[in-house]
Structure formats: structure tokens, C-alpha cells
Amino acid sequence: MGVARREAILEAATGYFAKGGYHRTAMSRIAADVGLTEGGLLHHFPSKKHLLLAVVERRILTTARWLDETPADATGRDVLRRLAGVTERELAEPGLIELFVIVSAEAADTSSPAHALFAERYDTAINGLAGLLRRAVESGEFRADVDCTAVARECIAVSDGLQLQWVLSGGELDLVAAARTHLDRLARTITADGAGL
Amino acid sequence: MGVARREAILEAATGYFAKGGYHRTAMSRIAADVGLTEGGLLHHFPSKKHLLLAVVERRILTTARWLDETPADATGRDVLRRLAGVTERELAEPGLIELFVIVSAEAADTSSPAHALFAERYDTAINGLAGLLRRAVESGEFRADVDCTAVARECIAVSDGLQLQWVLSGGELDLVAAARTHLDRLARTITADGAGL
């Protein structure tokens, strides 16, 4: 399929999913938006599930960029602050948080394409984040006995778990404050000076 | 429907889901197990999704019992240790962890019955756990400035997030060790004496 057409579909789907939510968006609405019939859209994406997976994959790539964009001279605390920033950015598109929770479930089925995508995404995120934290251990900012992989897993678990709670709270939970509270606690137990964020 | 018949169906479904996984279990297999035709089973539970929700609801009630069963003289650290125990017990039925992740996704749809069930489950769990932690603040074991609701949310988020990572790792992740690492860190930041678990 044409890259431009595919991008246009994903752009429209992301917008509708983010605004109205996945379950409340009809395929016909997305099709109309990009000048296709519903049959035409189904030719590109055989089901709404396929479209969902592509939207989430695109979002994962965007979010993953924060790792690559971390400056070489960032301190360990800078890395933790950037994690809080990711949460803040995710809240700017609340509908996509719902999508993430939905696709997590698909990923629990080892035979689904979402499983391979998520397993890879998590390996990359955990290893990348652990690598950034390890620099702070090497510089002496973090304690020498910190298990960076365990800390990375914990940060990602808190972020995922709080997103589910945020969805369940109907958006009432202060997600950024909750994430910051955890990161501050984390800083106090892994930094050599024992100070918070 | 008869309570005994319903229990027999849920028992069989729980066993198959836990052993073989939700996606790999056929409704016909469950039906045969309780002496029903597939049509007979569908009369009780109109779809596999309905059956899934009932199985998860039953499990939530079982897990919630640990809260009620916490002895009145349990210390704050005892409560945190009991949380690690819940994770250990969940690992005894690994297939049900996958179920939990699947139903979480259903819960993201505010119009689904899973949403109401999960929203209520989380409110109860967060408030119940926060109440137990508050006793430790009152006794002076935990610091006076601890936000017990925030700590409860964090514990549940870590548990949920790590369960997803456990599923994605194909069961390789040491879930109990990861949960304990977090709870130990938590203890060091919320106890008055600053010691771990």
C-alpha cells in the first residue's frame, strides 16, 4: 500500500481513537475522513484490531525516541525526570492510554502479533533504560549495588499499572503526580547521597 | 441457573484457562468436562468472554480475602510481606495471570461490564490497603507524612505492571523477587526507622 495513504489512515485513526476512544470509533468514520469507503479501508487494514495494532506500534516508536534523545551528559536524576516527562506527554493524548491497555491484553496471547511486538518493545525499553541508569552507577551518582534492570522494570511497571488505574478512575487520578511520587522515592533509595528528585 | 452447575462450569473453566491459557481453551472442552453440549454451556454463559469475566470476578474475590484476613495486630511491614505473598500465590496459577491481563483490556472500555467490575475492585483494593497502611502511620512505625493512598496505588501498579512483563517474558521473569525488591525499597522510604523489609 502507498506509504502516504497508510500514514493518512493511521493519522486519522490515531486522532479518532485519542479523542473518542477505540471502542466508540467506527471504521466508517475513519474511512470517510481519508476519502475511502469502508471496504476500501478494510483493504488496507483487514480489521479494526489490525488498525489498532498499527496505531499502537507507531506510538511505541514515538515514545521510544525519548531514550535515543537522552543527552550523553544526562545525570541519573535527569533520566528519572525524563520518565516523568514521558507520562506528562502521554496524558496529552488520553485516548491513546486506553489503546495501550487494550493492546496489552492482545499481547497476553503468545500467538498474536501484538505479543511479539510488545515482547520486543519491553526488552528494548528495559535494556535501554537500564543502560542509561548504569551510567549513573558508573559515575558514582547511584549506589554501586543498584540492580539497574530491576529498577528499569519497576519504573515501567509503575507507569503501566498507573495508566490502567487512570483509565479505571475515568481520568480522575493525577497520573503525573503519582509517577513523580514513585520516581522521588526511587531516587532516595538508589542515589549515593540518598536525596530525592 | 443452578448455583452448583455454575460453580462446576467456573471450576472447569478456571482449570483449563490456568493450565492451557484462555486463547487455547475451546468452549467445547469445558462443556464436555461438565457434561454439557457446547449449546448447553452457551445457555449458561453466552460467550467465552462472559465466562472469562465470571472466572476473573471469582478470582478477584478470592484474592481480596487476604485484606479481610489480615490480623488486627499486623504491623505495616507484615502488610507489605503479605503483598509479596499474594504475588507468590498468583504464580501458583500462572494461566490466570494471563486472564487478568486480558480482562484489564476489556475494562478500558467504559461501557463494558468489566469496567464497572474493575473500577470497583480497584477502589476496594486501594482503600483497603491504604487503611491497613494507615494503622502503621498511627502506631509510629511509618512516617507521619506518608500518603497511604499513593503508596497503595503504587503497590498495585507495580503488581499489575510486573504481571504484564511476566507474561511477555514467557514466565522467565522472577515475579516474586521483583515484587519483593520494590516492597523492600518502599519500606526503606516510608518506615520511621528507614530499614527495609
Side-chain angles (χ1 to χ4, degrees), chain A residues 23 105 109 153 165 185 189, chain B residues 23 105 109 153 165 185 189:
Chain A
H23 292 284
D109 176 6
R153 282 193 178 279
Q165 289 183 36
R185 181 193 323 291
T189 60
Chain B
H23 291 284
D109 176 7
R153 282 195 178 278
Q165 289 182 37
R185 181 194 323 293
T189 60

Side-chain angles (χ1 to χ4, degrees), chain A residues 1-17 25 27-36 40-41 44-45 51 54-55 58:
Chain A
M1 100 180 63
V3 172
R5 172 56 60 92
R6 186 186 157 87
E7 263 308 299
I9 295 171
L10 289 178
E11 192 66 46
T14 301
Y16 281 112
F17 289 167
T25 299
M27 287 290 268
S28 56
R29 192 77 198 77
I30 298 167
D33 214 61
V34 293
L36 287 172
L41 175 57
H44 292 293
F45 292 95
L51 188 51
V55 165
R58 191 158 165 268

